[in-house]
Amino acid sequence: MMNRSAQSPQLSFEFFPPRNDEQADVFRRTRDRLAALNPDYMSVTFGAGGSTRSRTRDAVLDIQRETGVPAAPHISCMSEDTDGIRELLDAYLDAGVDRLVVLRGDRPSGGGSGVFDHAIDLVRFVREHYGRRFHIEVACYPEMHPEASSPDADLRHFRDKVEAGADGAITQYFFSFSAWERFMDDCARMNIDIPITPGIMPITNFARLKRFSKMCGADLPKWISKRIRAWEREDDLRSLRAFGEDVVTDLCRRLLDAGAPGIHFYTLNRARATLRLCRNLGLDEQRESAGQRAAS
Ligand code: FAD
């Protein structure tokens, strides 16, 4: 495995598992373009209700095999039973996968629940059965999880997940630097001392961003949405993308300057916007100079 400079911020990319041949082509191209940046890991999401379990596993194994970049499956409480979870985790260990993103998961639209009620139960389950063989990342929410009764309650639940054995956390995406600052102060107050990596969503498609933000409770500031909406009305995607790139570059720069341990990009299986952000931040040069990974 490659040595990375202690100074270079942690870099990770998130994918969703492709659903058809066309998406698989896009996934492979994006995988290879982003792997060239020598990230610390690339993660693969799990569908609502656990619907993509085998596709997630296939995409994870594909990333490790084809790029040599460590891959991290997202696992969720929405599995049907604990035997199934153990089988999956055993298979991951056999394949050399030792990093997980552990979540409750989004509930399927028709309702239903999983084998555990909350991510903390799954963190405990992994620690109980696998000790410290997996590095565990969990989710956290600078703008509060939409189902939480209050920011303090959400923070306490986050602290409990950390005490149950999480090694690190990735945030839901956000666009407000103040929300991040406040959240980091709150975490310090609660003695939460694991690395918390901001999850960053490139701005490329307003309709999708609006839909996601509504679903996950991320705040889309008015000053951003007003401008983007105007460019969309005029069909001026070029200005929209340039503005999105500017806003997100600035946010990432401020986060890294303020001591964020790195950036986790929600790539949505597209390379272009993420690559441009990495280039603006100088992350591409830092990473590429650490050398190319062997693709074997
Ligand atoms: P939890 O930690 O269980 O928290 C969920 C809610 O319950 C919060 O409001 C919390 O405050 C509350 N809570 C926690 N513990 C308790 C308790 N003991 N008693 C009462 N309330 C409690 N979704 C997917 O389906 N697939 C993915 O691959 C995926 N990847 C993600 C990656 C990241 C980095 C992030 C930030 C989110 C991701 N999500 C994914 C979305 C995530 O599954 C949802 O936000 C989900 O609603 C909550 O997941 P959690 O792990 O934060 O849950």
Side-chain angles (χ1 to χ4, degrees):
M1 184 163 299
M2 182 133 321
N3 279 329
R4 293 192 181 79
S5 143
Q7 276 81 39
S8 74
Q10 164 135 336
L11 182 61
S12 51
F13 300 123
E14 183 173 306
F15 295 81
F16 62 82
R19 283 184 213 95
N20 52 42
D21 289 350
E22 198 185 321
Q23 286 189 2
D25 275 349
V26 174
F27 169 81
R28 278 192 290 271
R29 277 200 304 275
T30 304
R31 174 200 74 191
D32 291 345
R33 290 178 74 190
L34 293 178
L37 263 58
N38 190 24
D40 291 274
Y41 68 96
M42 305 210 270
S43 79
V44 183
T45 63
F46 208 95
S51 57
T52 62
R53 191 169 122 159
S54 60
R55 285 204 297 265
T56 300
R57 190 194 53 218
D58 292 349
V60 161
L61 299 183
D62 171 275
I63 287 172
Q64 292 236 143
R65 190 179 55 241
E66 299 299 325
T67 68
V69 172
H74 294 205
I75 62 164
S76 89
C77 299
M78 295 299 144
S79 298
E80 59 292 351
D81 58 45
T82 51
D83 285 350
I85 297 176
R86 290 202 64 171
E87 212 175 282
L88 187 64
L89 295 182
D90 288 345
Y92 282 138
L93 281 178
D94 282 349
V97 173
D98 61 1
R99 180 185 276 269
L100 302 171
V101 182
V102 175
L103 304 143
R104 184 194 70 187
D106 284 325
R107 298 208 157 108
S109 46
S113 58
V115 65
F116 297 121
D117 285 336
H118 290 290
I120 186 172
D121 305 315
L122 190 49
V123 172
R124 286 192 181 122
F125 179 83
V126 176
R127 288 291 179 237
E128 185 190 336
H129 293 279
Y130 296 89
R132 304 221 44 103
R133 295 175 75 191
F134 286 105
H135 173 103
I136 296 180
E137 297 280 338
V138 292
C140 62
Y141 302 84
E143 295 174 332
M144 193 179 102
H145 185 265
E147 292 166 34
S149 55
S150 71
D152 266 355
D154 205 26
L155 208 60
R156 279 196 302 277
H157 293 138
F158 174 39
R159 181 202 54 201
D160 294 345
K161 276 195 291 198
V162 174
E163 287 177 357
D167 298 298
I170 306 167
T171 73
Q172 184 56 275
Y173 70 84
F174 56 92
F175 296 104
S176 161
F177 180 72
S178 311
W180 161 267
E181 274 188 310
R182 171 57 61 129
F183 182 66
M184 294 310 288
D185 287 349
D186 288 345
C187 288
R189 185 166 51 76
M190 303 284 274
N191 297 317
I192 296 171
D193 60 358
I194 55 168
I196 299 176
T197 306
I200 293 295
M201 179 75 86
I203 299 177
T204 52
N205 175 320
F206 184 51
R208 192 172 53 197
L209 187 61
K210 227 169 47 178
R211 199 174 64 243
F212 284 176
S213 303
K214 199 168 166 201
M215 257 162 39
C216 72
D219 189 34
L220 191 52
K222 272 209 171 107
W223 65 273
I224 294 183
S225 59
K226 277 182 184 162
R227 284 172 194 232
I228 296 182
R229 205 173 299 132
W231 283 313
E232 273 216 328
R233 268 200 306 270
E234 292 159 17
D235 214 15
D236 185 355
L237 292 186
R238 221 184 146 126
S239 300
L240 189 161
R241 291 210 174 110
F243 171 73
E245 186 180 322
D246 229 38
V247 167
V248 178
T249 300
D250 185 52
L251 174 64
C252 292
R253 205 168 270 138
R254 294 179 77 188
L255 292 166
L256 292 173
D257 286 350
I263 305 283
H264 177 83
F265 285 104
Y266 296 110
T267 71
L268 302 178
N269 292 12
R270 299 285 166 174
R272 189 170 170 272
T274 298
L275 282 170
R276 290 182 72 98
L277 291 168
C278 289
R279 194 184 60 198
N280 295 346
L281 295 164
L283 294 175
D284 55 346
E285 281 170 21
Q286 286 175 33
R287 291 274 152 179
E288 280 163 352
S289 66
Q292 294 282 339
R293 254 169 214 283
S296 63

